[in-house]
Amino acid sequence: MADPMIDIDNLSVTFNRGRKPVKAVNGVSLKVKAGEVVALLGESGSGKSVTMRSLLRLHPKGTTITGRMRVAGQDVTELSARQIADFRGAVTSMVFQEPRLALDPVYTLGQQITETIMRHERIGRQAAFERALKLFEKVRIPSPERRLKTYPHEMSGGMLQRAMIAMALACNPKVLLADEPTTALDATVQIQILLLIRELQAEYGLSVIFVTHDIGVAAEVADRIAVMYAGRIVEEGAVADIIRDPKHPYTQGLLGARVELAGERDRLVTIPGAPPDLTDMPKGCAFAPRCVRVMDVCGNTVPPLIGKGEAGQVACLHYA
Amino acid sequence: MMDAATPLPLASDDPRDRGGPAQPLVSVRGLVRHFPVKGSGFLKPKKVVSAVDGVDFDILKGETLGVVGESGCGKSTTARLLMQLMRPDRGELLFDGESVGETLPLRDYRRQVQMVFQDSYASLNPRLTIEDSIAFGPRVHGVSAKVAIGRAHDLLHRVGLEPGRFAGRYPHELSGGQRQRINIARALALEPRLVILDEAVSALDKSVEAQVLNLLLDLKRDFGLTYMFISHDLNVVRFMCDRVMVMYLGKVCEIGPRDAIFDAPGHPYTAALLASMPKMDPGERTLVPPLSGDPPNPIDPPQGCRFHPRCSFSEDICTRVTPRLVTGLATGQSQHAAACLMRDPGALHSRAPALEEA
């Protein structure tokens, strides 16, 4: 098998800003093949966004990062400041949750996209502008020529997210990181953006990491799902396997708590309790305090992520 | 004093009930609220945002009415008008048959209608402890401090937070789910009859959301409450609500019993909204977006049917005639109404049903 496009090996991220260090990511390993879409699924504080931002080294100074990350053959942890600036946008680019905050309010969209292209390639302003126009047509923004000359505040959320995607694709990256790109959008717009990302991913052969908290969104876009809990991947596998036959008790609980399963019942099945405090992680399995199938050994052993048959992996001592 | 073990009597034998079970708890007729747009009007044409533009609906006693729609459709403005947080430009609001602000004084009305907001942190005073926040309302309404604090503790217990551990804490010391439980407890402190939940669970994680939804169902049963449940999550609305109202650009486009709305939507917008929900089955992915384009700007809503620029059944007549809410759709449910010319017998739309002979 060819080398994976993204290879994260035992990544740990600790933020040292507050009184106590916050262990946001605790030993995540993830491989994404060329042209594959992996959804990182988890609740807030599970470390899904932090994992993804590590790939662009977007963390504040003083953050402790250990482990190895390779993207398209380059070791991201080893790159110099200059090299990482070349890397961002050209090899790996990102679409953020809130395009209104991610785009610069004082420049037009056209200026921002041409700037991106000219930063990475030896190309004239006119040629860069024409490429921006092509990109706007590609993401199906109506009257693209006029829209390139508008400022972010003049556009609706859905259109801005399209512009954001156009900008992310401006330098033909190999990897697209999407951080909840549809969470802030309305339902009818969300499905349009999801279909657009899927279509462009296939056309450009992109490897995509798609962070989301919504299982339905993951089911619409992803080839594989990696479920995160308290900074670790607890289960990983093909979309259909995870949704039809989840193995880890947390995944089972998450899928079981869905309101659409409630039918005529008048109560929802819930996972009791709340996620652990990341400054004070339990010694063993992080899910053990909430788990219905907890055993004595769960309290002091961190379960490794191991294969569960065909292609998936699960981190639970019941399957060890 | 309220006691968790002896819940309030149900709405049917509530001493505050005036009109009887058949009288809707809330009746809204012709509700209108426009906001002037800043920077317009001086040497420029005066512009308004028609946030709510002629809305009629009822909330029946003991039911949960769901309100769905995209941003800018006016669902939150409707809630704020109902709560009297802002004055409507026009329209009539009846609470249990009494006209709010006239026969029913505003103070008495507000005691009976409470609201829970989406942002659990912004809606709590950061300088008040939790018990003070919950006891604040009753004290304003003349309950003694001791009784009010006692009631706050009962409510904390009722929403699943141990008063001994939580009563003296401040909002920033709690998680989002816990804060939303506090907001719910505070809303119940005045023993209201109607609770307006404006995206109350939308900011919570899925596993916490399920816990809070269960809590809301328990409280509704125990205290005999009526809910107006505003959400953009159709799955949650389907689970929680008895009836559903769909709004689009300041107007009601469909209202009816939950199953009728979800199984046989009468308005093309409702159908598109339902089709836009992500499918849980990766084998049955959505292939074509049900709607193209963004929801239009409520500053200049389209003429005629407001949905016509995005509607695949749109005809010339739709650009000129504003559809009325027509009851008695094909589902045979008299409560089910949709504002679409295709459902209006005798309208000039080619798909409109023929007029029945009298």
Side-chain angles (χ1 to χ4, degrees):
Chain A
M1 197 184 83
D3 277 351
M5 182 60 77
I6 305 171
D7 187 356
I8 304 175
D9 186 25
N10 202 20
L11 173 76
S12 290
V13 180
T14 308
F15 295 109
N16 301 308
R17 302 179 89 186
R19 246 168 287 160
K20 285 193 240 165
V22 177
K23 293 179 120 183
V25 175
N26 300 295
V28 162
S29 298
L30 181 70
K31 289 185 173 63
V32 182
K33 285 181 276 196
E36 191 178 39
V37 183
V38 173
L40 276 183
L41 183 70
E43 300 181 270
S44 45
S46 62
K48 52 193 195 306
S49 290
V50 176
T51 303
M52 197 176 70
R53 278 155 197 250
S54 305
L55 287 170
L56 285 176
R57 301 225 319 247
L58 292 176
H59 297 310
K61 277 198 179 117
T63 306
T64 316
I65 303 174
T66 62
R68 210 175 51 101
M69 292 175 287
R70 290 182 74 80
V71 177
Q74 298 185 65
D75 192 330
V76 180
T77 40
E78 298 289 309
L79 295 178
S80 68
R82 174 89 206 178
Q83 284 168 324
I84 193 87
D86 287 342
F87 172 83
R88 290 174 185 156
V91 181
T92 303
S93 60
M94 189 153 171
V95 178
F96 294 88
Q97 177 173 357
E98 194 42 88
R100 233 168 268 281
L101 300 176
L103 292 164
D104 194 325
V106 299
Y107 294 99
T108 64
L109 293 165
Q111 284 170 328
Q112 296 185 49
I113 295 176
T114 48
E115 185 197 5
T116 310
I117 300 172
M118 287 163 69
R119 162 66 183 76
H120 289 288
E121 291 173 33
R122 297 177 62 82
I123 187 172
R125 185 169 298 276
Q126 190 54 41
F129 190 82
E130 268 156 31
R131 213 156 98 197
L133 187 65
K134 286 228 170 58
L135 285 161
F136 262 39
E137 285 165 3
K138 190 109 235 165
V139 298
R140 277 185 240 108
I141 291 178
S143 43
E145 228 152 325
R146 190 170 58 82
R147 292 296 193 178
L148 275 172
K149 295 185 181 120
T150 59
Y151 291 90
H153 75 269
E154 298 173 86
M155 305 251 284
S156 66
M159 282 303 142
L160 273 187
Q161 200 57 287
R162 285 173 193 266
M164 188 88 217
I165 292 169
M167 190 153 133
L169 297 179
C171 298
N172 299 312
K174 296 193 175 76
V175 174
L176 181 69
L177 306 176
D179 189 356
E180 307 238 14
T182 61
T183 307
L185 303 176
D186 283 317
T188 58
V189 182
Q190 160 168 297
I191 194 77
Q192 296 173 34
I193 299 289
L194 289 178
L195 292 181
L196 178 69
I197 290 177
R198 218 162 70 191
E199 178 191 318
L200 295 172
Q201 181 272 333
E203 188 179 329
Y204 288 81
L206 294 166
S207 299
V208 178
I209 296 186
F210 196 103
V211 162
T212 180
H213 66 275
D214 187 333
I215 308 167
V217 168
E220 283 279 0
V221 295
D223 301 318
R224 286 196 300 143
I225 295 184
V227 183
M228 290 195 70
Y229 185 78
R232 298 193 185 106
I233 291 178
V234 294
E235 182 164 6
E236 183 264 320
V239 168
D241 295 345
I242 296 273
I243 286 174
R244 293 198 190 114
D245 184 22
K247 292 283 191 292
H248 195 281
Y250 174 66
T251 321
Q252 289 171 347
L254 208 57
L255 284 157
R258 278 179 300 142
V259 281
E260 46 279 39
L261 293 184
E264 291 304 307
R265 275 183 288 132
D266 63 343
R267 284 189 74 78
L268 294 171
V269 182
T270 61
I271 308 175
D277 184 352
L278 295 174
T279 61
D280 184 21
M281 288 273 287
K283 200 153 67 99
C285 173
F287 188 62
R290 303 173 74 187
C291 185
V292 285
R293 296 168 63 197
V294 66
M295 305 180 288
D296 288 343
V297 63
C298 296
N300 44 39
T301 313
V302 176
L305 194 63
I306 51 171
K308 55 162 191 190
E310 305 93 75
Q313 301 179 83
V314 61
C316 177
L317 293 175
H318 281 286
Y319 302 95
Chain B
M1 203 178 86
M2 197 184 297
D3 189 347
T6 52
L8 274 179
L10 286 171
S12 52
D13 46 38
D14 189 333
R16 297 170 296 178
D17 192 353
R18 288 165 191 272
Q23 170 80 44
L25 186 61
V26 172
S27 256
V28 172
R29 291 291 173 268
L31 198 65
V32 174
R33 173 74 202 208
H34 292 177
F35 297 102
V37 176
K38 274 185 198 159
S40 69
F42 183 68
L43 301 181
K44 287 183 207 163
K46 201 172 176 91
K47 286 182 179 173
V48 289
V49 179
S50 343
V52 172
D53 206 15
V55 164
D56 304 330
F57 64 94
D58 291 333
I59 303 177
L60 309 179
K61 282 174 185 162
E63 78 166 349
T64 302
L65 176 72
V67 183
V68 297
E70 297 177 279
S71 47
C73 73
K75 53 192 196 298
S76 286
T77 306
T78 304
R80 280 166 167 75
L81 291 171
L82 208 58
M83 193 65 213
Q84 296 282 312
L85 291 176
M86 54 176 76
R87 291 284 171 165
D89 295 341
R90 277 200 302 282
E92 191 184 18
L93 174 58
L94 295 180
F95 186 81
D96 206 358
E98 289 181 294
S99 178
V100 173
E102 290 167 30
T103 52
L104 182 69
L106 210 50
R107 191 183 169 90
D108 293 347
Y109 172 70
R110 286 213 167 113
R111 197 200 301 252
Q112 300 188 59
V113 183
Q114 289 290 316
M115 187 156 169
V116 178
F117 298 86
Q118 174 169 11
D119 188 334
S120 64
Y121 189 65
S123 49
L124 286 168
N125 186 337
R127 310 206 330 179
L128 290 186
T129 60
I130 283 155
E131 60 178 7
D132 287 340
S133 267
I134 298 174
F136 195 87
R139 294 200 59 193
V140 168
H141 282 268
V143 176
S144 78
K146 194 161 165 260
V147 175
I149 294 286
R151 191 186 286 180
H153 284 212
D154 285 344
L155 283 165
L156 275 173
H157 183 73
R158 198 62 200 77
V159 297
L161 298 173
E162 187 53 51
R165 275 178 64 205
F166 288 96
R169 294 202 195 177
Y170 288 89
H172 72 267
E173 299 177 276
L174 303 176
S175 71
Q178 289 168 338
R179 277 199 296 266
Q180 207 55 295
R181 287 169 191 264
I182 304 294
N183 280 312
I184 292 166
R186 181 180 60 177
L188 298 179
L190 285 166
E191 302 175 13
R193 296 168 72 189
L194 173 68
V195 180
I196 301 171
L197 302 155
D198 187 359
E199 303 271 9
V201 296
S202 307
L204 304 176
D205 277 321
K206 287 290 161 203
S207 66
V208 180
E209 178 187 89
Q211 294 170 4
V212 174
L213 289 177
N214 276 344
L215 172 69
L216 287 170
L217 289 174
D218 292 346
L219 294 171
K220 176 169 188 264
R221 190 187 54 230
D222 294 350
F223 294 110
L225 299 170
T226 300
Y227 285 153
M228 176 166 167
F229 190 89
I230 299 173
S231 178
H232 66 276
D233 187 334
L234 293 164
N235 287 320
V236 173
V237 167
R238 181 171 207 166
F239 172 67
M240 288 291 288
C241 301
D242 304 306
R243 289 195 310 138
V244 179
M245 174 161 89
V246 185
M247 292 185 72
Y248 189 77
L249 281 185
K251 283 193 182 295
V252 176
C253 65
E254 185 161 5
I255 184 166
R258 173 192 60 187
D259 292 340
I261 297 269
F262 279 91
D263 297 337
H267 195 285
Y269 176 65
T270 315
L273 209 54
L274 291 170
S276 299
M277 290 157 71
K279 309 287 173 294
M280 276 308 294
D281 186 351
E284 275 182 50
R285 287 184 171 174
T286 314
L287 298 175
V288 182
L291 279 186
S292 57
D294 289 5
N297 194 332
I299 291 177
D300 283 313
Q303 291 291 307
C305 172
R306 295 192 167 181
F307 184 58
H308 83 258
R310 297 173 85 194
C311 181
S312 47
F313 304 105
S314 171
E315 293 183 1
D316 183 49
I317 185 79
C318 300
T319 64
R320 287 181 281 119
V321 178
T322 306
R324 61 195 177 100
L325 265 177
V326 184
T327 50
L329 299 182
T331 47
Q333 303 241 26
S334 60
Q335 294 173 15
H336 188 186
C340 177
L341 293 178
M342 291 193 293
R343 303 279 172 246
D344 193 351
L348 293 170
H349 196 285
S350 63
R351 287 165 184 261
L355 265 179
E356 280 172 43
E357 297 296 322

